[in-house]
Amino acid sequence: MMTMMAILIFGGAFGAAIYAIAATVAPRMAQIVDVLFARPQPRFAPLTELVHAERRIAVRRWATASARGSFRPREAA
């Protein structure tokens, strides 16, 4: 009876450990394989993406400002 309890307890702990390892490694498996085979990794450059986004925003603001027109309605005298 004690042997059966030990197998169940340690088997459950082993299963939980395998699940935890698989859940943390699986999402990064492509990167792990690339590192193992010495493939170059794409550089992480968040600032260049930010610069491109800022330029798009500036162009859109400029386009909407010029589309509205620059005239002001005249006031009555």
Side-chain angles (χ1 to χ4, degrees):
M1 183 71 164
M2 291 298 285
T3 305
M4 184 66 86
M5 289 296 290
I7 290 172
L8 287 175
I9 289 172
F10 287 114
F14 181 72
I18 294 298
Y19 172 75
I21 291 171
T24 55
V25 170
R28 300 286 186 174
M29 187 57 74
Q31 288 179 342
I32 293 169
V33 170
D34 287 344
V35 168
L36 287 175
F37 290 115
R39 295 181 193 143
Q41 294 287 316
R43 299 198 75 196
F44 180 65
L47 293 180
T48 58
E49 295 297 322
L50 181 63
V51 168
H52 293 301
E54 289 289 332
R55 285 183 187 158
R56 281 194 306 268
I57 291 169
V59 167
R60 287 179 184 157
R61 285 183 183 160
W62 175 78
T64 58
S66 64
R68 284 188 219 142
S70 61
F71 68 93
R72 292 186 198 162
R74 294 187 175 216
E75 296 179 12

